[in-house]
């Protein structure tokens, strides 16, 4: 029996066709998932509109301004997605998203409002017995399948991510010659921008929770951590303050922000609260590593300000390295043109002794970006008097340099 291989042209054509078939299968699979998930999504939005928005409006259980703040643009989103679903079910993906694209501003409004909406929902559930009972009755309906209103309000945010994943899959398996390629590609780019917006809003929200948590730790002290717009929380932890002369080092809690370093001591009446001692503006700071990074020896940092100098010691090498990196980075972002970070790498004075208060569970505790445990609806209260500090009370306006969220503010140390 003789063997006759396929002609080269026929073999190449077969390979190309097989690849095209694979692309088409992947595209079809992503398209089916897009249609099915869009049907479920519209059904869930319909639950919110029917059993919450419209009934609450008819009953008047919540005031109009509160309803609008909680549900934001969800009715407009429901309407535009119903129109999108008609196109998707007909197989017109490119045309559907071409018409959906101009309506993305409804999602922008919703994305910007979601954190405040969830907080307000929490507050109303706590304050209004009638609303709490109404909410429980509606969520008990079989149509909700044990989903809470809080979960359903997150659906438009989650849908943006799902759109991006599925449309990227469809675009990757669509020929550039296909008329839908440009339409789908444009939508993927818009969804990427929307996802960045979601991430940026979430980051700002988490930062606000961190600032509020620190403010609560300093309750009763002379500080208002939340008073400055554009302030970012970086880290916190225990360090030993080394005096220039005489007495022993003292353990203090330090809170590092984008514009200042706060020094605090435990309050005698409550070990979980702190009293502020000094506020140091980072704009005027020079960070110098006196020694450190020697295995097992920790290190000593020298911070020089316009009217003060601070020596900080840590016997934990990892903790010391984190503080050095965080401080030098924060200062550099405030004054990128200056030479701010110095070091004496070859100096090795030998092992560090244990400073008083520098050992034990409390002294070694490092709370670096700790878990936020605040209730979302709890109000923040702070004193209005200023910190006792030898540093200037004001620093000039500057932007905290960040790739995703550059914010400018007048940094007033309070």
């Amino acid at each position: 029996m003789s063997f006759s291989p396929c002609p080269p042209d026929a073999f190449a054509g077969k390979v190309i066709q097989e690849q095209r078939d694979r692309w088409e299968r992947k595209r079809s699979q992503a398209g089916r998932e897009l249609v099915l998930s869009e049907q479920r999504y519209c059904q869930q939005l319909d639950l919110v509109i029917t059993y919450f928005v419209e009934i609450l409006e008819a009953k008047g259980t919540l005031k109009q301004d509160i309803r609008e703040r909680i549900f934001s643009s969800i009715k407009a989103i429901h309407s535009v997605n119903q129109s999108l679903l008609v196109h998707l079910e007909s197989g017109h993906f490119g045309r559907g998203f071409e018409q959906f694209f101009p309506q993305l501003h409804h999602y922008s409004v919703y994305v910007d409002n979601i954190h405040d909406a969830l907080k307000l929902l929490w507050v109303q559930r706590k304050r209004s017995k009638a609303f709490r009972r109404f909410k429980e009755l509606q969520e008990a309906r079989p149509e909700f399948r044990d989903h809470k209103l809080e979960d359903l309000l997150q659906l438009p945010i989650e849908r943006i991510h799902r759109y991006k994943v599925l449309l990227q899959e469809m675009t990757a398996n669509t020929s550039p010659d296909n008329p839908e390629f440009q339409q789908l590609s444009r939508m993927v780019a818009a969804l990427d921008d929307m996802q960045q917006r979601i991430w940026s809003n979430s980051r700002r929200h988490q930062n606000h929770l961190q600032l509020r948590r620190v403010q609560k730790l300093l309750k009763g002290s002379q500080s208002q951590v939340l008073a400055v717009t554009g302030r970012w929380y970086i880290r916190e932890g225990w360090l030993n303050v080394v005096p220039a002369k005489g007495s022993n080092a003292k353990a203090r809690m330090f809170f590092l922000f984008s514009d200042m370093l706060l020094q605090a001591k435990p309050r005698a009446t409550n070990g979980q609260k702190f009293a502020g001692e000094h506020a140091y503006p980072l704009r005027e700071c020079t960070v110098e590593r006196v020694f450190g990074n020697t295995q097992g020896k920790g290190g000593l940092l020298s911070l020089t300000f316009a009217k003060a100098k601070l020596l900080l010691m840590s016997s934990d090498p990892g903790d010391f390295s984190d503080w050095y990196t965080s401080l030098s980075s924060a200062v550099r972002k405030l004054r990128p043109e200056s030479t701010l970070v110095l070091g004496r790498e070859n100096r090795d004075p030998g092992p560090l002794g244990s400073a008083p208060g520098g050992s034990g569970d409390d002294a070694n505790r490092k709370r670096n970006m700790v878990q936020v445990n605040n209730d979302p609806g709890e109000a923040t209260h702070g004193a209005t008097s200023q910190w006792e500090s030898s540093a200037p009370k004001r620093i000039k306006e500057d932007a905290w340099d960040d790739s995703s969220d550059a914010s400018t503010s007048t940094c007033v140390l309070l």
Side-chain angles (χ1 to χ4, degrees), residues 179-250:
E180 288 192 333
F181 181 81
Q182 292 299 329
Q183 296 169 323
L184 296 177
S185 297
R186 183 186 179 200
M187 193 63 199
V188 169
L191 292 170
D192 185 66
D193 291 341
M194 185 67 68
Q195 202 164 37
Q196 290 297 320
R197 186 171 188 153
I198 293 171
W199 181 86
S200 179
N201 288 346
S202 178
R203 184 171 176 268
R204 283 195 295 269
H205 176 67
Q206 292 300 321
N207 180 67
H208 175 76
L209 294 181
Q210 290 283 21
L211 294 177
R212 192 174 67 178
R213 178 187 59 82
V214 173
Q215 181 69 71
K216 290 180 66 177
L217 290 176
L218 297 165
K219 188 175 182 180
S221 68
Q222 300 172 336
S223 168
Q224 286 190 334
V225 173
L226 288 161
V228 177
T229 303
R231 174 172 288 160
W232 287 87
Y233 170 87
I234 299 176
R235 63 158 297 162
E236 64 193 64
W238 291 94
L239 289 169
N240 294 314
V241 180
V242 181
K245 299 179 181 178
S247 60
N248 296 326
K250 296 180 180 180

Side-chain angles (χ1 to χ4, degrees), residues 31 38 46 61 80 89 125 151 177 201 241 245 281 334 359 381 396 403:
E38 186 71 12
D46 188 63
T61 306
V80 298
E89 289 177 332
R125 186 171 60 85
D151 302 328
D177 298 331
N201 288 346
V241 180
K245 299 179 181 178
L334 287 174
S359 60
H381 302 286
K396 296 179 182 178
S403 60

Side-chain angles (χ1 to χ4, degrees), residues 2-13:
S2 62
F3 174 72
S4 301
C6 295
D9 291 344
F11 180 76

Side-chain angles (χ1 to χ4, degrees), residues 245-266:
K245 299 179 181 178
S247 60
N248 296 326
K250 296 180 180 180
R252 292 291 184 265
M253 175 62 76
F254 285 88
F255 299 92
L256 178 61
F257 304 96
S258 57
D259 62 327
M260 67 176 175
L261 178 69
L262 299 184
Q263 176 182 325
K265 64 180 179 180

Side-chain angles (χ1 to χ4, degrees), residues 121-305:
L121 176 62
W122 186 91
V123 171
Q124 293 301 313
R125 186 171 60 85
K126 288 291 183 181
R127 291 180 178 177
S128 173
K129 183 178 180 180
F131 174 69
R132 182 167 63 251
R133 179 61 177 159
F134 170 79
K135 179 175 178 291
E136 291 171 352
L137 287 173
Q138 299 302 77
E139 292 170 346
R141 292 176 178 273
E143 299 94 326
F144 281 79
R145 299 181 181 179
D146 295 328
H147 287 102
K148 302 298 183 184
L149 178 58
E150 291 84 349
D151 302 328
L152 297 175
L153 289 179
Q154 292 277 11
L155 289 176
I157 309 298
E158 298 168 359
R159 191 59 181 162
I160 291 295
H161 173 70
R162 194 60 185 155
Y163 278 146
K164 182 181 175 184
V165 171
L166 293 173
L167 288 182
Q168 281 180 328
E169 180 72 11
M170 290 192 70
T171 305
N173 293 284
T174 299
S175 170
D177 298 331
N178 190 318
E180 288 192 333
F181 181 81
Q182 292 299 329
Q183 296 169 323
L184 296 177
S185 297
R186 183 186 179 200
M187 193 63 199
V188 169
L191 292 170
D192 185 66
D193 291 341
M194 185 67 68
Q195 202 164 37
Q196 290 297 320
R197 186 171 188 153
I198 293 171
W199 181 86
S200 179
N201 288 346
S202 178
R203 184 171 176 268
R204 283 195 295 269
H205 176 67
Q206 292 300 321
N207 180 67
H208 175 76
L209 294 181
Q210 290 283 21
L211 294 177
R212 192 174 67 178
R213 178 187 59 82
V214 173
Q215 181 69 71
K216 290 180 66 177
L217 290 176
L218 297 165
K219 188 175 182 180
S221 68
Q222 300 172 336
S223 168
Q224 286 190 334
V225 173
L226 288 161
V228 177
T229 303
R231 174 172 288 160
W232 287 87
Y233 170 87
I234 299 176
R235 63 158 297 162
E236 64 193 64
W238 291 94
L239 289 169
N240 294 314
V241 180
V242 181
K245 299 179 181 178
S247 60
N248 296 326
K250 296 180 180 180
R252 292 291 184 265
M253 175 62 76
F254 285 88
F255 299 92
L256 178 61
F257 304 96
S258 57
D259 62 327
M260 67 176 175
L261 178 69
L262 299 184
Q263 176 182 325
K265 64 180 179 180
R267 296 177 63 185
T269 57
N270 189 338
Q272 301 301 317
K273 300 289 184 178
F274 297 91
E277 293 185 308
H278 300 286
Y280 300 98
L282 295 183
R283 188 188 302 280
E284 303 174 355
C285 179
T286 300
V287 183
E288 182 178 4
R289 182 168 53 197
V290 179
F291 59 84
N293 284 352
T294 303
Q295 185 175 2
K297 297 181 181 179
L300 180 67
L301 284 174
S302 173
L303 306 182
T304 304
F305 304 92

